[in-house]
Every structure is written in structure tokens, then in C-alpha cells.
């Protein structure tokens, strides 16, 4: 069914292109391609903005009675994060650091 439609549309386009001029065939195709590209770009922008809003809207709260340390298994480095930007652990020595939560008295 789709091939039949494509063959019919191609035939009509060839007839129009030969008789009236090829600009009447390619201009609408170019317009449709530009419209599809523009809509896809706007969709990607909206989608990225939504992701950014979700990341900014839900910062990981750092409670005052506990603190989270990250330690590197490879070299023993410990890191105390005061503000946590991303939910995943930071990297050190080429691997993810391990999380350890200490409860303060
Ligand atoms: Zn390390």
C-alpha cells in the first residue's frame, strides 16, 4: 500500500516537474523537510529543558545530623561533599568512589 502511494506520488511529481517546472516539486519538499527539522529541534530543546528543571528542582538535601563521605578503594582518599550536584558518586583513580554516611551526635 505504501509503495503504491509512493509510486503514484513520484509519478505526479515527475509530471508536474516536467510540465510546470521542478521548482514546484522541490520547494514543497524542502519546506516540509525544514518544518520537520524545526519541530524536532524544538522538541529536543523542550525535552532538555525539562530534564534540566528536574535536576535543579530536586537537589539532594544535606541533612545537618549526618554527613556523607566518599572514599576511594584504590588509594584511600576521602572526600566530604558539602553540596551534592549529581546523584551519582564522584570518581577517583578511574573508578566510582564508595559512599559512607556517618551520623553525627
Ligand atoms: Zn583514588
Amino acid at each position: 500500500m505504501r509503495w503504491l502511494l509512493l509510486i503514484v506520488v513520484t509519478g505526479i511529481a515527475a509530471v508536474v516537474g516536467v510540465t510546470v517546472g521542478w521548482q514546484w516539486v522541490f520547494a514543497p519538499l524542502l519546506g516540509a523537510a525544514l518544518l520537520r527539522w524545526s519541530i524536532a529541534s524544538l522538541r529536543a530543546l523542550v525535552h532538555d529543558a525539562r530534564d534540566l528543571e528536574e535536576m535543579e528542582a530536586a537537589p539532594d538535601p544535606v541533612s545537618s545530623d549526618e554527613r556523607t563521605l566518599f572514599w576511594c578503594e584504590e588509594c584511600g582518599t576521602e572526600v566530604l561533599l558539602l553540596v551534592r550536584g549529581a546523584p551519582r558518586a564522584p570518581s577517583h583513580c578511574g573508578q566510582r568512589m564508595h559512599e559512607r554516611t556517618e551520623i553525627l551526635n
Side-chain angles (χ1 to χ4, degrees), residues 25-40:
V25 174
F26 289 116
L29 287 176
L30 184 64
L34 281 175
L35 185 67
R36 285 191 66 161
W37 178 78
S38 304
I39 289 173

